[in-house]
């Protein structure tokens, strides 16, 4: 099944979202940490009252996490779930078919 085109498309769809978003979020987090360590004056800049940029950036880390989860759920619903259903149906068909039909189904791939 791993060699099938459906499975390859499924894996490619997942990676098309997961890898770039992971790199972007890790970069954003690393920027936050580096600013907190090396740009203390900048991060200590007060925005409103006692709320400084460090606190705002920290809260934005949580907001980014929720935004990514929401975006992934939409992406998965549109692209990954249909491909996964197709792979699952093929696997169920191969697993439940009699031995002769399973071999024929495997030859059709």
């Amino acid at each position: 099944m791993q060699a099938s085109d459906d499975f390859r498309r499924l894996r490619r769809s997942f990676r098309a979202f997961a890898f770039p978003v992971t790199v972007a979020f890790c970069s954003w987090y690393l920027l936050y940490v580096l600013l907190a360590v090396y740009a203390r004056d900048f991060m200590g800049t007060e925005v409103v009252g006692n709320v400084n940029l460090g606190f705002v950036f920290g809260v934005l880390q949580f907001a980014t996490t929720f935004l990514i989860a929401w975006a992934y759920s939409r992406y998965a619903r549109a692209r990954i779930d249909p491909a996964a259903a197709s792979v699952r149906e093929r696997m169920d068909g191969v697993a439940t078919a009699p031995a002769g039909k399973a071999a024929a189904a495997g030859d059709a791939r």
Side-chain angles (χ1 to χ4, degrees), residues 52-82:
N52 60 22
L53 282 176
F55 181 76
V56 171
F57 282 16
V59 170
L60 286 175
Q61 291 291 319
F62 288 101
T64 304
T65 302
F66 289 113
L67 178 67
I68 290 170
W70 172 78
Y72 179 76
S73 70
R74 289 180 47 96
Y75 182 84
R77 192 176 317 120
R79 300 231 173 105
I80 296 174
D81 292 349

